[in-house]
Amino acid sequence: MSNQALSSYFELHRRYYRSVNLERDLDKPDAVQGYVPTERSAEALRRILSAIGDPNAHRSWTLTGVYGTGKSAFVHYLAALCAAEGSQVAETARAIAESAFAADSPEMKAIRNIPPSGLLRAVATAQREPLRWTIVRALSRGFEFFWKKEQKPDFWMDLNEWCFQAEEGNCQVTDQQVLKLIREIVQTVETDVLLIIDELGKNLEYAAHHQGIQDLYLLQQIAELKLEGDHQVHLLGILHQSFAGYSDRLSTIEQSEWTKIHGRFTDIVLTESPSQMTRLIGQAIHRTNSEPVLHSIHLQAESWFDALKDVLSEYEISAKVLADAYPLHPLTALVLPMLCVRYAQNDRSLFTFLTSDEPYAFSQFLKSTTLENHQIPTFKLYQLYDYFAEAVTGLASRLNLQRWVEVQGLIQDAKDQSQDVLKVLKTIGVLNLATSTGKFRATPELVALALCDSPTDEKGRKHWQKTIQSLKQKKLITHRKTQDELRIWQGSDFDVEAAIQAQIEQAHSPLADLLTTTYPLKPLVAQRHYTTTGNLRYFEQRYIDSRVDLQALTGTTTGSDGLIAYWLDTAPLESVPPRTADGKPLIVITVANLELLRMRSEDFLALKQIWKNAPELQTDGVARREVRQRLVEAEQLLNETVTLLFNRSARNNTCWIDGKLTAIESSRSFQSALSDLCDRTYNKGAVLDNELINRRELTSQGAKARRELIEAMLKNADKPRLGLEGYGPEVAIHGSVLETTGIHRQEDGVWGFYPPLTSTTVNVSFVWDEIERFCTEAKETSKH
């Protein structure tokens, strides 16, 4: 065997690079061919198909499992079975069923429930969009494929229009219209509808970031929908993690609501056992026909099987399965599916690890590692940790957060240690994260074996055992002698969820006060007005509710030119005054979805108080890291929620400007309306092209220039430019305020101060008259 890269001897079967796409492959027989029903998929098939024709059956399911567990392949097979008799895809699917199941089996009995005409198969792959958009796309495609008659039903035009709008990203269809559409379709086609939403998690992610609980009620309504007659709707959503996993960034109350909705569904977990997944890994890896390589794999696999017999006996793993998974270390091949189930998220999956070009992924290992003369290098547990630490940016569930955060934090704290120390810590950490039950746990012996390419490497085992002993002495790891297990975390007794709930109950306050604390608003500048006039006018922004009398409302910020008030109350507004009580422009914006805003504000404030005041965090590093992470997430989520809900052009929000309801189409149009309001309100203000003085507070340079100019006005009124020379700031002020306006000019050969000219480009006559009126009407004299 030469020193060539492992990629010369091992590669991934190309068919594992391409997953099933339900929309694309719906009626392709070749995408069904080769499907092998497993015990889990056969059970799911029975449960779903037995509901057809049974008026009392449950008809809503979620199919849950991490990436790479065959969910899409199973659902594609299910959809193929539900196609019309005689179609090529249905014939292919039924041939597979007949070869896999006995004629009198429960599976074949369930399959015979499918009517000859088939079901209307409405399939869509969700995007990060409202749920109703995804459903409209599924129904449109499904009906078009099923309905062969030339005459289209009355709802066809609306369905087409909604589908087009959804694809364009601006669909106005409502939940009630979707439910009505489903009823009309079932009545028209006179058969059951199988509604399949692939990647339902993307709808849930959208709901978590945008609509909160409101967007999910449609799921509940469809799940509870019972139609008159023999034909019904069957809803199947495909998820990569539980509902709780998609809502883990939400407040505690919101998570509870999500759980209630998920309770309307029967959850079918399509997760194969670790041993089955390990065998699947072996099917994905193709080995060369090089006899020396195959012989070496066989010898090493036999050797590993003997060394790990006690561990492997719990997982029904044979020496052949270990050989098929090479060059994955046997322990890596067993641990990898466990980590994917617990910690993979989105497209971070078993097959992503095997096939992607991400840092530390398996394919990169094959390219960068060379085959040695005597044994094949293996992909070890510490390298698997590097992949997950680099690639997994989130967790499948908040339930796993505390353990993961601590393991990652402790390893990060030890980054200045030697590479051998880091390898040991990562290996123990991976085993701690994967399992701590039965014989498969981080024993000193197993950790040492996990770091060797061969179980017969006595020198290597002694080296790693010595390193483990050194780490125990340094207290970097602990050894639980009763269980003979090494650990790198101590755990935490601090219940973060309970602490959040206690804080929320203790600090209940009106939403306006709550947001003033958690998300204070900054002033907003009328940008175009500033650009065209040079006058920087800003509006104070604040939260109000029905405790405030709009007629007596005033700003709280000195010097503001107007007030933008956000109405955080369920009481409707009948009218709004055009001005505040002190005469400044008033804009009032009503905000919808207040309960979502309250929950996220309360969650953030509770975490902030816990982080600041909880004494347990002083001594509990695990809880401290979790609270810190939760606090960052809660703040980000609150920011996103405020940005979304305070969108002045949002459909559910209304805007009162100048006492009138005003339609706002975008942020730009609101800025334009703001400047228009300033133009109308402050239309007689002086427009002076000089940034030095056109401000509320002068800079030190501006104050000095003003002083020098006033001195020149008192001493040299009879001189051109007041006797000022050069191009200093005092000269610039003279030019823009006194010279351009004509206040300082020459008449009849004499320089002096006169009322401003109305014929100049800068007209300050109104300001001059007001100043003059103020001075002439002043009657009182100073007492001193």
Side-chain angles (χ1 to χ4, degrees):
M1 292 185 285
S2 61
N3 292 328
Q4 293 188 27
L6 289 180
S7 56
S8 302
Y9 303 95
F10 302 92
E11 62 181 5
L12 282 303
H13 283 295
R14 300 306 303 175
R15 64 191 178 99
Y16 289 97
Y17 283 84
R18 179 183 181 272
S19 60
V20 173
N21 182 297
L22 293 179
E23 289 188 24
R24 178 193 64 207
D25 301 330
L26 183 62
D27 277 291
K28 292 182 179 179
D30 57 339
V32 183
Q33 290 173 355
Y35 179 75
V36 179
T38 65
E39 184 178 342
R40 293 288 180 89
S41 63
E43 179 188 356
L45 202 66
R46 292 194 303 269
R47 295 172 69 178
I48 295 173
L49 293 182
S50 62
I52 299 175
D54 184 352
N56 299 317
H58 190 87
R59 292 184 296 276
S60 298
W61 307 271
T62 49
L63 189 67
T64 306
V66 298
Y67 282 83
T69 52
K71 296 185 305 301
S72 294
F74 163 73
V75 174
H76 181 254
Y77 178 67
L78 171 68
L81 284 173
C82 294
E85 274 187 14
S87 64
Q88 194 173 354
V89 70
E91 294 298 321
T92 304
R94 297 195 181 210
I96 293 172
E98 289 167 0
S99 64
F101 309 120
D104 59 348
S105 66
E107 290 82 8
M108 291 304 299
K109 181 180 179 182
I111 290 171
R112 284 193 284 272
N113 281 342
I114 302 170
S117 61
L119 273 59
L120 188 153
R121 299 165 298 151
V123 179
T125 301
Q127 303 170 15
R128 287 182 176 84
E129 63 185 0
L131 176 66
R132 56 189 180 277
W133 296 10
T134 306
I135 293 175
V136 161
R137 290 191 292 107
L139 293 173
S140 174
R141 189 170 185 270
F143 183 83
E144 185 175 13
F145 189 85
F146 184 90
W147 191 255
K148 304 301 182 183
K149 301 177 183 178
E150 289 187 11
Q151 184 175 358
K152 302 297 183 183
D154 294 339
F155 60 76
W156 176 246
M157 292 295 291
D158 287 337
L159 179 57
N160 261 348
E161 179 63 22
W162 289 331
C163 183
F164 174 77
Q165 291 174 354
E167 291 173 350
E168 291 293 311
N170 185 28
C171 182
Q172 303 302 317
V173 67
T174 66
D175 289 358
Q176 292 307 312
Q177 287 173 322
V178 170
L179 294 171
K180 180 183 177 185
L181 177 64
I182 291 174
R183 292 188 182 94
E184 291 176 337
I185 287 177
V186 173
Q187 291 172 1
T188 301
V189 299
E190 297 182 335
T191 189
D192 285 32
V193 171
L194 178 60
L195 176 57
I196 299 173
I197 304 177
D198 193 11
E199 301 284 356
L200 176 62
K202 287 188 169 60
N203 290 134
L204 301 185
E205 289 172 0
Y206 178 88
H209 283 79
H210 295 79
Q211 301 295 335
I213 194 66
Q214 298 297 326
D215 200 45
L216 297 189
Y217 281 135
L218 181 58
L219 275 180
Q220 177 176 326
Q221 290 173 299
I222 296 176
E224 296 173 344
L225 189 63
K226 191 169 183 179
L227 304 177
E228 296 181 0
D230 298 331
H231 307 301
Q232 302 294 329
V233 176
H234 307 267
L235 173 60
L236 176 62
I238 305 176
L239 299 171
H240 299 299
Q241 56 180 324
S242 67
F243 258 50
Y246 294 100
S247 65
D248 63 0
R249 296 175 67 236
L250 304 181
S251 69
T252 304
I253 298 174
E254 285 177 289
Q255 290 184 57
S256 176
E257 290 297 316
W258 280 52
T259 302
K260 290 178 185 177
I261 291 178
H262 193 208
R264 304 300 194 279
F265 289 76
T266 297
D267 190 37
I268 301 174
V269 180
L270 200 69
T271 301
E272 306 295 347
S273 68
S275 55
Q276 289 174 314
M277 294 301 292
T278 301
R279 285 191 283 273
L280 189 58
I281 291 171
Q283 295 175 22
I285 301 174
H286 175 72
R287 290 167 296 282
T288 180
N289 290 325
S290 170
E291 188 61 34
V293 172
L294 294 177
H295 181 68
S296 179
I297 290 173
H298 174 74
L299 291 179
Q300 290 192 43
E302 289 287 350
S303 180
W304 275 115
F305 182 76
D306 290 338
L308 300 173
K309 188 170 294 184
D310 288 345
V311 172
L312 299 177
S313 64
E314 298 182 3
Y315 296 97
E316 300 178 354
I317 297 291
S318 65
K320 182 182 183 304
V321 173
L322 298 184
D324 290 343
Y326 251 79
L328 289 179
H329 190 288
L331 292 175
T332 303
L334 193 56
V335 168
L336 175 59
M338 299 178 185
L339 284 185
C340 286
V341 168
R342 288 174 173 81
Y343 301 105
Q345 181 176 353
N346 298 337
D347 57 349
R348 311 303 189 183
S349 67
L350 188 152
F351 289 104
T352 304
F353 163 73
L354 291 175
T355 61
S356 77
D357 289 326
E358 291 178 312
Y360 309 111
F362 182 61
S363 62
Q364 291 297 314
F365 170 77
L366 295 179
K367 294 175 184 178
S368 60
T369 307
T370 57
L371 188 66
E372 300 176 2
N373 291 325
H374 301 292
Q375 64 183 24
I376 299 173
T378 57
F379 190 97
K380 301 177 184 65
L381 291 180
Y382 72 84
Q383 293 165 298
L384 186 62
Y385 173 88
D386 289 336
Y387 169 75
F388 270 78
E390 175 73 22
V392 177
T393 56
L395 301 180
S397 168
R398 182 175 279 174
L399 299 175
N400 295 315
L401 176 62
Q402 187 163 311
R403 179 179 291 188
W404 175 270
V405 167
E406 182 170 5
V407 168
Q408 193 168 21
L410 289 172
I411 292 174
Q412 183 67 21
D413 291 344
K415 62 184 178 181
D416 294 331
Q417 300 284 337
S418 68
Q419 286 300 309
D420 281 356
V421 167
L422 289 174
K423 288 177 182 179
V424 171
L425 291 177
K426 291 174 182 178
T427 302
I428 296 173
V430 167
L431 288 171
N432 288 165
L433 290 166
T435 179
S436 60
T437 60
K439 296 176 181 178
F440 191 20
R441 58 188 186 277
T443 64
E445 177 66 17
L446 197 65
V447 171
L449 284 173
L451 290 157
C452 296
D453 284 314
S454 170
T456 59
D457 182 8
E458 291 298 329
K459 182 179 178 180
R461 288 171 71 176
K462 289 180 180 179
H463 166 75
W464 294 116
Q465 287 169 347
K466 183 178 179 181
T467 306
I468 291 169
Q469 186 62 31
S470 173
L471 292 177
K472 287 165 58 179
Q473 293 171 354
K474 294 178 181 178
K475 307 295 184 184
L476 287 176
I477 58 177
T478 59
H479 184 213
R480 298 186 174 186
K481 293 183 180 180
T482 55
Q483 296 177 302
D484 190 25
E485 182 186 17
L486 299 170
R487 288 200 172 191
I488 61 171
W489 86 81
Q490 300 297 326
S492 172
D493 295 325
F494 185 66
D495 191 334
V496 178
E497 293 295 340
I500 292 174
Q501 194 60 43
Q503 282 289 336
I504 291 174
E505 293 173 358
Q506 177 183 344
H508 188 78
S509 59
L511 180 57
D513 297 346
L514 185 63
L515 276 175
T516 301
T517 301
T518 59
Y519 199 93
L521 295 170
K522 299 178 180 179
L524 190 63
V525 173
Q527 296 174 353
R528 194 201 67 224
H529 180 81
Y530 171 60
T531 303
T532 56
T533 68
N535 292 324
L536 183 66
R537 302 198 184 278
Y538 70 87
F539 282 65
E540 175 192 349
Q541 297 193 99
R542 57 185 282 204
Y543 310 105
I544 63 171
D545 54 29
S546 56
R547 295 174 298 165
V548 173
D549 180 0
L550 291 180
Q551 302 297 330
L553 183 62
T554 60
T556 60
T557 305
T558 304
S560 64
D561 298 288
L563 175 62
I564 300 174
Y566 294 90
W567 182 256
L568 305 182
D569 206 300
T570 55
L573 285 177
E574 300 297 336
S575 63
V576 172
R579 297 284 185 270
T580 62
D582 52 353
K584 294 179 180 179
L586 174 61
I587 297 175
V588 176
I589 299 169
T590 65
V591 180
N593 218 340
L594 300 180
E595 192 57 33
L596 174 65
L597 197 57
R598 167 176 289 283
M599 286 189 288
R600 295 187 176 172
S601 299
E602 288 178 337
D603 211 41
F604 172 62
L605 183 60
L607 283 162
K608 196 173 181 181
Q609 293 299 323
I610 292 169
W611 176 254
K612 181 180 179 182
N613 299 323
E616 294 90 342
L617 301 190
Q618 303 303 314
T619 55
D620 191 335
V622 179
R624 185 167 60 251
R625 280 189 288 270
E626 181 178 0
V627 171
R628 180 171 57 196
Q629 175 116 3
R630 295 273 295 271
L631 180 59
V632 170
E633 290 179 354
E635 182 175 21
Q636 181 182 356
L637 191 57
L638 177 60
N639 290 341
E640 293 171 357
T641 304
V642 171
T643 300
L644 174 72
L645 299 184
F646 280 38
N647 179 4
R648 305 170 190 92
S649 60
R651 183 177 56 181
N652 294 330
N653 294 349
T654 56
C655 184
W656 298 77
I657 300 179
D658 233 356
K660 302 174 183 177
L661 270 174
T662 305
I664 300 297
E665 297 179 356
S666 64
S667 296
R668 178 177 292 183
S669 67
F670 180 78
Q671 263 292 342
S672 178
L674 201 65
S675 290
D676 289 343
L677 181 58
C678 287
D679 291 344
R680 294 193 302 271
T681 306
Y682 301 106
N683 62 330
K684 295 181 179 178
V687 179
L688 302 172
D689 188 15
N690 192 304
E691 292 186 357
L692 273 173
I693 60 172
N694 205 359
R695 54 195 309 138
R696 285 175 169 79
E697 295 183 7
L698 293 178
T699 62
S700 56
Q701 183 187 30
K704 179 184 177 183
R706 179 181 61 181
R707 184 179 65 253
E708 293 179 353
L709 179 62
I710 292 174
E711 290 178 356
M713 290 173 68
L714 295 173
K715 296 178 181 178
N716 303 315
D718 58 342
K719 296 180 180 179
R721 299 180 66 184
L722 299 176
L724 298 172
E725 298 180 355
Y727 302 95
E730 67 281 357
V731 176
I733 296 174
H734 172 270
S736 59
V737 179
L738 302 179
E739 184 177 357
T740 304
T741 60
I743 292 174
H744 185 233
R745 64 180 186 269
Q746 187 181 42
E747 286 194 1
D748 299 330
V750 179
W751 281 93
F753 294 109
Y754 303 95
L757 298 173
T758 58
S759 59
T760 61
T761 56
V762 179
N763 188 351
V764 294
S765 298
F766 179 81
V767 177
W768 176 278
D769 293 341
E770 286 299 302
I771 294 173
E772 185 175 46
R773 182 186 60 78
F774 176 80
C775 293
T776 56
E777 290 180 358
K779 305 295 183 182
E780 296 182 3
T781 59
S782 174
K783 296 181 180 179
H784 301 287

